[in-house]
Coordinates of all heavy atoms in Angstrom, one line a residue:
P52 N -9.2 -12.4 65.0 CA -10.0 -11.7 66.0 C -10.8 -12.6 66.9 O -11.0 -13.8 66.6 CB -10.9 -10.9 65.1 CG -11.0 -11.6 63.8 CD -9.6 -12.3 63.6
P53 N -11.2 -12.1 68.1 CA -12.0 -12.9 69.0 C -13.2 -13.5 68.3 O -13.9 -12.8 67.5 CB -12.4 -11.9 70.1 CG -11.4 -10.8 70.0 CD -11.0 -10.7 68.5
G54 N -13.5 -14.7 68.6 CA -14.7 -15.4 68.1 C -14.4 -16.1 66.8 O -15.3 -16.8 66.2
A55 N -13.2 -16.0 66.2 CA -12.9 -16.7 65.0 C -12.1 -18.0 65.3 O -11.1 -17.9 66.0 CB -12.1 -15.8 64.1
D56 N -12.5 -19.1 64.7 CA -11.9 -20.4 65.0 C -11.6 -21.1 63.6 O -12.5 -21.1 62.8 CB -12.8 -21.3 65.8 CG -13.1 -20.7 67.2 OD1 -12.1 -20.3 67.9 OD2 -14.2 -20.6 67.5
I57 N -10.4 -21.7 63.5 CA -10.1 -22.5 62.4 C -10.5 -23.9 62.7 O -10.1 -24.5 63.7 CB -8.6 -22.5 62.0 CG1 -8.2 -21.1 61.7 CG2 -8.3 -23.4 60.9 CD1 -6.7 -21.0 61.5
L58 N -11.4 -24.5 61.9 CA -11.9 -25.8 62.1 C -11.1 -26.9 61.4 O -11.0 -28.0 61.8 CB -13.4 -25.9 61.7 CG -14.4 -25.0 62.5 CD1 -15.8 -25.2 62.0 CD2 -14.2 -25.1 64.0
S59 N -10.6 -26.5 60.2 CA -9.8 -27.4 59.4 C -9.0 -26.7 58.4 O -9.5 -25.6 57.8 CB -10.7 -28.4 58.7 OG -10.0 -29.4 58.0
V60 N -7.8 -27.1 58.1 CA -7.0 -26.5 57.1 C -7.0 -27.5 55.9 O -6.5 -28.6 56.0 CB -5.5 -26.3 57.5 CG1 -4.7 -25.7 56.4 CG2 -5.5 -25.3 58.7
F61 N -7.5 -27.1 54.8 CA -7.6 -27.9 53.6 C -6.3 -27.9 52.8 O -5.9 -28.9 52.2 CB -8.8 -27.5 52.7 CG -10.1 -27.6 53.3 CD1 -11.1 -26.6 53.2 CD2 -10.5 -28.7 54.1 CE1 -12.3 -26.6 53.8 CE2 -11.7 -28.8 54.7 CZ -12.6 -27.7 54.5
Q62 N -5.7 -26.8 52.7 CA -4.5 -26.6 51.9 C -3.6 -25.5 52.5 O -4.1 -24.5 52.8 CB -4.9 -26.3 50.4 CG -3.8 -26.1 49.5 CD -4.2 -25.7 48.1 OE1 -5.3 -26.3 47.6 NE2 -3.5 -24.9 47.4
E63 N -2.3 -25.8 52.5 CA -1.4 -24.7 53.0 C -0.1 -24.8 52.2 O 0.5 -25.9 52.1 CB -1.1 -24.9 54.5 CG -0.2 -23.8 55.0 CD -0.1 -23.9 56.5 OE1 -0.5 -24.9 57.1 OE2 0.6 -23.0 57.1
S64 N 0.2 -23.8 51.5 CA 1.3 -23.7 50.6 C 2.0 -22.4 50.7 O 1.5 -21.4 50.1 CB 1.0 -24.0 49.2 OG 2.1 -23.9 48.3
G65 N 3.1 -22.3 51.5 CA 3.8 -21.0 51.7 C 2.9 -20.0 52.3 O 2.4 -20.1 53.4
E66 N 2.6 -18.9 51.6 CA 1.9 -17.8 52.1 C 0.4 -17.9 51.9 O -0.4 -17.1 52.3 CB 2.4 -16.5 51.4 CG 3.8 -16.2 51.7 CD 4.5 -15.3 50.7 OE1 3.8 -15.0 49.7 OE2 5.7 -14.9 50.9
E67 N -0.1 -19.0 51.2 CA -1.5 -19.2 50.9 C -2.1 -20.4 51.6 O -1.5 -21.4 51.6 CB -1.7 -19.3 49.4 CG -3.1 -19.5 48.9 CD -3.3 -19.5 47.4 OE1 -2.7 -18.7 46.7 OE2 -4.0 -20.5 46.9
S68 N -3.3 -20.2 52.2 CA -3.9 -21.2 52.9 C -5.4 -21.2 52.6 O -6.0 -20.1 52.4 CB -3.8 -21.1 54.4 OG -2.4 -21.1 54.8
I69 N -6.0 -22.4 52.5 CA -7.5 -22.5 52.3 C -8.0 -23.3 53.5 O -7.5 -24.4 53.8 CB -7.8 -23.2 51.0 CG1 -7.3 -22.4 49.8 CG2 -9.4 -23.4 50.9 CD1 -7.6 -23.1 48.5
L70 N -9.0 -22.7 54.2 CA -9.4 -23.3 55.5 C -10.9 -23.2 55.7 O -11.6 -22.3 55.1 CB -8.6 -22.7 56.6 CG -8.6 -21.2 56.7 CD1 -9.8 -20.6 57.5 CD2 -7.3 -20.7 57.4
L71 N -11.4 -24.1 56.6 CA -12.8 -24.0 57.1 C -12.8 -23.2 58.4 O -12.0 -23.6 59.3 CB -13.3 -25.4 57.3 CG -14.7 -25.5 57.9 CD1 -15.8 -25.0 57.0 CD2 -15.0 -27.0 58.3
F72 N -13.6 -22.2 58.5 CA -13.6 -21.4 59.7 C -15.0 -21.2 60.2 O -16.0 -21.3 59.5 CB -12.9 -20.0 59.4 CG -13.8 -19.1 58.6 CD1 -14.6 -18.1 59.2 CD2 -13.9 -19.2 57.2 CE1 -15.5 -17.3 58.5 CE2 -14.8 -18.3 56.5 CZ -15.5 -17.4 57.2
R73 N -15.0 -20.8 61.5 CA -16.3 -20.4 62.1 C -16.0 -19.1 62.8 O -15.0 -18.9 63.5 CB -16.7 -21.4 63.1 CG -18.0 -21.0 63.9 CD -18.4 -22.2 64.8 NE -17.3 -22.5 65.7 CZ -17.1 -23.7 66.3 NH1 -17.9 -24.7 66.0 NH2 -16.1 -23.9 67.1
G74 N -16.9 -18.1 62.6 CA -16.7 -16.8 63.1 C -18.0 -16.3 63.9 O -19.1 -16.6 63.4
T75 N -17.8 -15.7 65.0 CA -18.9 -15.1 65.8 C -18.6 -13.6 66.0 O -17.5 -13.3 66.6 CB -19.1 -15.8 67.1 OG1 -19.4 -17.2 66.9 CG2 -20.3 -15.2 67.8
A76 N -19.4 -12.8 65.5 CA -19.2 -11.3 65.7 C -19.4 -11.0 67.2 O -20.3 -11.5 67.8 CB -20.1 -10.5 64.8
P77 N -18.6 -10.1 67.8 CA -18.8 -9.6 69.1 C -20.2 -8.9 69.3 O -20.7 -8.4 68.3 CB -17.7 -8.7 69.4 CG -17.2 -8.2 68.0 CD -17.5 -9.4 67.1
S78 N -20.7 -8.9 70.5 CA -22.0 -8.4 70.7 C -22.1 -6.9 70.3 O -23.2 -6.5 69.9 CB -22.4 -8.5 72.2 OG -21.4 -7.9 73.0
S79 N -21.0 -6.2 70.4 CA -21.0 -4.8 70.0 C -21.3 -4.6 68.5 O -21.7 -3.5 68.1 CB -19.7 -4.1 70.4 OG -18.6 -4.8 69.8
Y80 N -21.1 -5.6 67.7 CA -21.3 -5.5 66.3 C -22.6 -6.1 65.8 O -23.0 -6.0 64.7 CB -20.1 -6.3 65.5 CG -18.9 -5.5 65.5 CD1 -18.0 -5.4 66.6 CD2 -18.5 -4.8 64.3 CE1 -16.8 -4.7 66.5 CE2 -17.3 -4.1 64.3 CZ -16.5 -4.0 65.4 OH -15.3 -3.3 65.3
Q81 N -23.3 -6.8 66.7 CA -24.5 -7.4 66.3 C -25.7 -6.5 66.1 O -26.7 -6.9 65.6 CB -24.9 -8.5 67.3 CG -23.9 -9.7 67.3 CD -24.3 -10.8 68.2 OE1 -25.4 -11.0 68.6 NE2 -23.3 -11.7 68.5
Y82 N -25.5 -5.2 66.4 CA -26.6 -4.3 66.1 C -26.7 -4.0 64.6 O -27.6 -3.5 64.1 CB -26.3 -2.9 66.8 CG -25.2 -2.1 66.3 CD1 -25.4 -1.2 65.3 CD2 -23.9 -2.2 66.8 CE1 -24.4 -0.4 64.8 CE2 -22.9 -1.5 66.3 CZ -23.1 -0.6 65.3 OH -22.0 0.2 64.8
F83 N -25.6 -4.5 63.8 CA -25.7 -4.4 62.4 C -26.8 -5.4 61.8 O -27.2 -5.2 60.7 CB -24.4 -4.8 61.8 CG -23.3 -3.8 62.0 CD1 -22.0 -4.2 62.3 CD2 -23.5 -2.5 61.8 CE1 -21.0 -3.3 62.5 CE2 -22.5 -1.6 61.9 CZ -21.2 -2.0 62.3
S84 N -27.2 -6.4 62.6 CA -28.1 -7.4 62.1 C -29.4 -6.8 61.5 O -30.0 -7.4 60.6 CB -28.4 -8.4 63.2 OG -29.1 -7.8 64.3
G85 N -29.8 -5.7 62.0 CA -31.0 -5.1 61.6 C -31.0 -4.8 60.1 O -31.9 -5.1 59.3
F86 N -29.8 -4.2 59.6 CA -29.8 -4.0 58.2 C -29.3 -5.2 57.4 O -29.6 -5.3 56.2 CB -28.9 -2.7 57.9 CG -27.4 -3.0 57.9 CD1 -26.7 -3.6 56.9 CD2 -26.7 -2.6 59.0 CE1 -25.4 -3.8 56.9 CE2 -25.3 -2.8 59.1 CZ -24.6 -3.4 58.0
L87 N -28.6 -6.1 58.0 CA -28.2 -7.3 57.3 C -29.3 -8.2 56.9 O -29.3 -8.9 56.0 CB -27.2 -8.1 58.2 CG -25.8 -7.4 58.4 CD1 -25.0 -8.2 59.4 CD2 -25.0 -7.3 57.1
L88 N -30.4 -8.1 57.7 CA -31.6 -8.9 57.4 C -32.6 -8.2 56.5 O -33.7 -8.7 56.3 CB -32.3 -9.2 58.8 CG -31.6 -10.2 59.7 CD1 -32.3 -10.2 61.1 CD2 -31.6 -11.6 59.1
H89 N -32.2 -7.1 55.9 CA -33.1 -6.4 55.0 C -33.3 -7.0 53.7 O -32.9 -6.4 52.6 CB -32.6 -4.9 54.9 CG -33.6 -4.0 54.4 ND1 -34.5 -3.4 55.2 CD2 -33.8 -3.5 53.1 CE1 -35.3 -2.6 54.4 NE2 -34.8 -2.6 53.2

């Protein structure tokens, strides 16, 4: 999805992968922050 970036792939074997990622939620979803901070 938009805002999601793979920074590094630690392990990849067939259908399974372990990776370091960074994600940023779109502005339309950031109104959730009010309850996430509860």
